[in-house]
Amino acid sequence: MLSSLAPSVLRQGCLFAILLCALPLCVFAETKVSVRFSNAMKDDRHITMFWRNPVDREEMSVTSRFPRGVNEVVEAYTGHVFVAYDDDRQDFREFYIEEPKAGESVIDIVVTDLIRKTAIARFINHSPGSMELFWKNEETGENIRVGPLIKKGDFFELDTHKGHVFVAKNLRGEVLEEFTVNSVPGVREEHTIGEKAVAVFKNMMKTPTSIFWFDTESNEEVEVHETVQPGASHEVFAHPGHKFIVRDHMKRRIKEFTVSADYGKKETFRVDL
């Protein structure tokens, strides 16, 4: 199995190296490091390491699958994110590469366990009346109702998977909107039916910035846009009261903004020091 994977992994490894050179250094801290991933899984599962592209968040395998007791060394930069997956890619764990300690030539990361999470989708009703939510079975085309009746101003949240399709209908059975879940496991994705508020972030800095939505329930930051170039603007659909954090190209926090615009309105935020 390993021998059959080797050519593919070698080609991907070469592409990974090319991407490291081609991506702007401003995306990462400028410290190149070697990272040694060791498989210490308690249940003897094989794992494969993937690198997450910070621009489009696509994931690329950078090792072959390797068993317990084996390690793989990968060249990276601080600020990179790597993900360990099992064979079916349902269980995973993310690793953020930090600055090495003084005198440390290789950063050691030991993978002892993986976690299983589903994506989370929240559907917020801002249509004129109550609505129903349906999961669309892509194989049969059947719409299967999920959750309770969602009144105007209320929301419904459920665990799901990337690629699942949901349909919002009014009480007359008319389709209001159709949504495809794009979030990765463990991340909440919000969908609004009806009018939305719009937050515009204008980068007045001389360096690129990144926009994060602050989830007040989990106290986690969710990246909504990787890079806003100097002088450029980016629009984000939001809700009144939503909080956003803007960070510079070194991921340092610059400012926090709270949306005060009502639904159907637009609010502009200037990003500067």
Side-chain angles (χ1 to χ4, degrees), residues 122 188 213-220 241-243 256:
R122 174 179 289 183
R188 178 187 288 111
W213 168 62
F214 183 69
D215 186 341
T216 54
E217 293 184 6
S218 65
N219 290 324
E220 295 180 349
H242 265 189
K243 295 182 182 297
E256 177 180 307

Side-chain angles (χ1 to χ4, degrees), residues 32-36 73-76 105-108:
K32 188 176 182 179
V33 294
S34 295
V35 183
R36 180 165 49 226
V73 177
V74 174
E75 299 300 315
S105 59
V106 178
I107 297 175
D108 275 299

Side-chain angles (χ1 to χ4, degrees), residues 5 9 21 35 91 114 131 154 185 193 196 198 212-213 215 219 225-226 244 267:
L5 283 173
V9 171
C21 297
V35 183
D91 295 351
L114 304 177
M131 69 170 218
D154 289 347
I193 296 87
K196 306 173 181 69
V198 178
F212 295 79
W213 168 62
D215 186 341
N219 290 324
H225 194 70
E226 172 65 28
F244 291 90
E267 185 172 7

Side-chain angles (χ1 to χ4, degrees), residues 28-222:
F28 314 110
E30 296 182 2
T31 305
K32 188 176 182 179
V33 294
S34 295
V35 183
R36 180 165 49 226
F37 295 99
S38 299
N39 183 349
M41 292 287 291
K42 300 172 184 177
D43 54 6
D44 293 328
R45 277 185 292 176
H46 289 66
I47 61 172
T48 305
M49 298 306 306
F50 287 74
W51 170 69
R52 179 175 294 159
N53 188 322
V55 177
D56 58 15
R57 298 184 65 82
E58 291 293 322
E59 294 175 348
M60 175 188 302
S61 62
V62 293
T63 71
S64 60
R65 61 190 293 270
F66 56 101
R68 177 182 169 87
V70 175
N71 61 67
E72 294 278 354
V73 177
V74 174
E75 299 300 315
Y77 286 95
T78 50
H80 277 194
V81 174
F82 289 85
V83 187
Y85 283 105
D86 64 354
D87 284 342
D88 63 9
R89 293 194 68 177
Q90 293 297 313
D91 295 351
F92 74 104
R93 189 169 290 280
E94 295 183 357
F95 300 94
Y96 179 83
I97 308 304
E98 299 181 345
E99 289 286 340
K101 298 176 182 178
E104 186 178 40
S105 59
V106 178
I107 297 175
D108 275 299
I109 294 179
V110 180
V111 184
T112 59
D113 61 356
L114 304 177
I115 56 177
R116 175 163 295 195
K117 287 187 177 181
T118 57
I120 303 168
R122 174 179 289 183
F123 298 89
I124 305 170
N125 183 10
H126 283 288
S127 66
S130 297
M131 69 170 218
E132 297 174 319
L133 186 68
F134 297 81
W135 170 63
K136 185 175 182 180
N137 187 325
E138 291 295 311
E139 294 183 358
T140 65
E142 181 183 7
N143 288 336
I144 302 171
R145 181 174 169 178
V146 292
L149 185 72
I150 308 173
K151 296 180 181 180
K152 180 179 180 181
D154 289 347
F155 69 86
F156 174 69
E157 187 173 284
L158 77 166
D159 293 336
T160 183
H161 297 280
K162 184 175 181 179
H164 275 192
V165 177
F166 292 90
V167 180
K169 297 182 180 182
N170 62 24
L171 299 187
R172 295 188 298 274
E174 299 167 337
V175 174
L176 299 175
E177 290 192 52
E178 185 173 299
F179 305 92
T180 300
V181 176
N182 295 308
S183 61
V184 297
V187 175
R188 178 187 288 111
E189 177 176 291
E190 290 194 351
H191 299 282
T192 300
I193 296 87
E195 291 187 324
K196 306 173 181 69
V198 178
V200 182
F201 297 90
K202 184 170 180 58
N203 184 10
M204 309 302 293
M205 307 274 290
K206 295 182 179 180
T207 57
T209 58
S210 300
I211 305 169
F212 295 79
W213 168 62
F214 183 69
D215 186 341
T216 54
E217 293 184 6
S218 65
N219 290 324
E220 295 180 349
E221 295 180 23
V222 179

Side-chain angles (χ1 to χ4, degrees), residues 251-269:
K251 301 304 180 185
R252 294 173 299 202
R253 184 179 179 131
I254 300 173
K255 277 188 176 181
E256 177 180 307
F257 300 97
T258 300
V259 176
S260 59
D262 201 354
Y263 293 104
K265 303 296 183 181
K266 181 179 291 189
E267 185 172 7
T268 300
F269 299 104

